[in-house]
Amino acid sequence: MKEKINILKKELGITFEVFTRDQNAVKSSSDLDLLENKYLGKKSLIAQTLKNINDFPQEIKPLVGKTVNEIRRKIEDELKNLRNELNLLEFDKKLREEKFDLTLPGRALLAGSKNILYKVIEEIQEIFIGLGYEIAEGPEVETDYYNFEALNHPPDHPARSLQDTFFIDDRILLRTHTSPVQIRYMEKHKPPVYIIAPGKVYRKDYDVTHTPMFTQIEGLAVDKNINFGNLKWTLETLARSVFGKDRQVRFRPHYFPFTEPSAEVDVSCNICVGKGCRVCSGTGWLEILGAGMVDPNLYKFVNYDQDEINGFAFGMGIERIAMLKYGIDDLRLFFENDIRFLKQF
Ligand code: PHE
């Protein structure tokens, strides 16, 4: 019996020696799997001995079990260490192969940027949306009716002349202002009306301060009991939001066919704060818009009852406001879409 145990011990000892040698040849986790299978798998000496433990006499079974399990545990420990080592090595290798250099500069995505005119339009829209206005739009190719006639232009009004207006034929033209949106909107909606209408307009003008196409925003408010004071407050609110809270607003009498009375509106210069500088030509004032009370004649064209309602309207050039607000001195910059210019805002 002693003999049998000794033989087993010897065999197991040799097995462990061979294992130790085999272990040195392991290079990868698949090698390790093979090794594990060879020494602990079903056909291994260890597994077979435990399986056939009943071949041993009852008295020595515990000793056989103990001996085999000792070796098994030793092998298991070795395998575990080896697996840890291999894992580390393989992780290290992976890291080296898939190396990211976090210090390399990224590839910049060049995002476009909104045209500054559009930003000014958005800013003004936000102000008026805050006051309860809606945004309205109209076509750039207009009829003489909406651009002039329904806006109370007498047939001989100079704005109608071929010199200022791009006519397509004798009835169709490129709108010279955003005011036709007033008529189009009133035709379709009953008062009260509070709208703001941005858009492109066209005039035969081309020099340092004029381009044949430019941008306007129109405002129109029609309701019961609207008066000139409401217009003044509204334009003051606008001027102070856009140019700064200390701005003053001044009205100069003017003439527009579609408003009565009419005014040109100045804001105190935001550069010299009213003292007088190059931008305001020494006057301390900047002219920014035209405005007035809606001429009651317009209501006839849109079937409003002129005894029930009053209104005010105003219109301004966006390029001019953007130039004054951002100190831009060349009108062409707005239309060239040079990213270096656009990115500054
Ligand atoms: N439409 C006028 C222009 O283009 C501006 C304006 C609009 C004036 C509304 C009064 C009322 O000059």
Side-chain angles (χ1 to χ4, degrees):
M1 258 190 285
K2 260 250 158 78
E3 193 66 354
K4 258 194 156 171
I5 282 284
N6 282 338
I7 291 171
L8 180 64
K9 276 188 175 166
K10 209 168 187 178
E11 273 178 351
L12 288 171
I14 293 168
T15 304
F16 189 71
E17 254 172 53
V18 180
F19 169 79
T20 317
R21 230 179 293 143
D22 278 358
Q23 194 187 18
N24 290 331
V26 168
K27 296 246 149 46
S28 67
S29 41
S30 54
D31 290 351
L32 189 69
D33 292 341
L34 288 176
L35 188 71
E36 180 165 3
N37 192 43
K38 183 171 169 191
Y39 290 94
L40 297 180
K42 273 188 195 149
K43 286 183 184 149
S44 65
L45 176 66
I46 290 175
Q48 288 297 323
T49 311
L50 287 175
K51 192 181 164 202
N52 301 322
I53 198 157
N54 285 333
D55 295 352
F56 291 94
Q58 189 63 32
E59 319 84 84
I60 62 161
K61 270 193 209 165
L63 188 59
V64 172
K66 194 178 160 234
T67 315
V68 175
N69 277 327
E70 249 166 36
I71 294 288
R72 198 194 60 182
R73 234 167 274 128
K74 265 167 89 176
I75 290 181
E76 274 175 355
D77 283 350
E78 290 294 320
L79 286 172
K80 199 171 144 196
N81 290 342
L82 206 55
R83 189 156 315 266
N84 284 342
E85 256 172 58
L86 270 179
N87 280 346
L88 274 180
L89 280 175
E90 280 174 9
F91 183 62
D92 223 45
K93 188 165 162 242
K94 206 169 158 192
L95 276 188
R96 251 178 290 121
E97 281 169 3
E98 301 175 1
K99 182 165 77 172
F100 291 108
D101 184 349
L102 296 177
T103 64
L104 282 177
R107 231 170 277 163
L109 277 181
L110 280 185
S113 81
K114 278 183 193 166
N115 189 294
I116 183 67
L117 289 178
Y118 191 66
K119 280 190 202 165
V120 173
I121 292 175
E122 279 185 332
E123 183 184 338
I124 294 174
Q125 280 179 351
E126 284 306 313
I127 296 165
F128 282 97
I129 287 169
L131 294 176
Y133 283 62
E134 262 174 55
I135 296 168
E137 276 182 331
E140 289 169 32
V141 180
E142 248 318 349
T143 58
D144 180 272
Y145 175 78
Y146 287 110
N147 197 78
F148 294 125
E149 197 180 327
L151 285 167
N152 204 33
H153 282 70
D156 55 352
H157 192 273
R160 259 188 148 119
S161 87
L162 282 168
Q163 268 176 9
D164 297 313
T165 308
F166 289 106
F167 279 95
I168 289 164
D169 58 31
D170 52 7
R171 207 177 55 86
I172 314 254
L173 45 80
L174 297 182
R175 68 177 175 192
T176 58
H177 50 180
T178 42
S179 301
V181 182
Q182 292 187 32
I183 303 296
R184 286 184 173 273
Y185 192 89
M186 287 193 286
E187 266 184 348
K188 292 214 172 75
H189 301 82
K190 292 278 138 227
V193 166
Y194 290 90
I195 55 159
I196 196 90
K200 295 185 177 118
V201 301
Y202 302 83
R203 286 179 202 175
K204 282 191 181 171
D205 251 341
Y206 198 26
D207 57 39
V208 198
T209 52
H210 296 90
T211 45
M213 184 276 288
F214 61 103
T215 321
Q216 284 191 334
I217 282 198
E218 189 85 7
L220 174 70
V222 181
D223 204 343
K224 287 182 178 141
N225 304 318
I226 294 249
N227 60 42
F228 206 87
N230 301 138
L231 171 62
K232 187 161 186 273
W233 179 87
T234 305
L235 296 181
E236 261 168 12
T237 304
L238 168 71
R240 287 172 189 167
S241 309
V242 175
F243 290 110
K245 65 176 171 42
D246 301 323
R247 295 293 86 84
Q248 300 295 314
V249 171
R250 145 179 117 165
F251 286 66
R252 279 178 292 106
H254 197 71
Y255 170 76
F256 295 107
F258 36 92
T259 46
E260 180 60 34
S262 302
E264 272 190 329
V265 182
D266 302 339
V267 177
S268 56
C269 181
N270 57 321
I271 310 241
C272 61
V273 200
K275 287 192 198 80
C277 68
R278 196 180 56 89
V279 176
C280 59
S281 319
T283 62
W285 295 93
L286 304 165
E287 184 201 319
I288 60 158
L289 46 78
M293 300 306 289
V294 177
D295 190 312
N297 275 339
L298 265 60
Y299 299 136
K300 293 180 197 152
F301 288 94
V302 296
N303 288 321
Y304 278 13
D305 182 350
Q306 54 166 297
D307 297 329
E308 289 280 308
I309 39 110
N310 312 86
F312 63 70
F314 54 89
M316 63 200 125
I318 299 301
E319 284 81 0
R320 178 153 171 83
I321 292 184
M323 286 171 96
L324 295 171
K325 179 167 173 157
Y326 294 102
I328 299 161
D329 55 9
D330 188 341
L331 192 56
R332 285 166 303 186
L333 287 168
F334 291 122
F335 310 111
E336 285 170 348
N337 278 329
D338 183 333
I339 194 110
R340 291 166 302 178
F341 168 72
L342 297 176
K343 272 201 155 161
Q344 292 173 42
F345 306 101

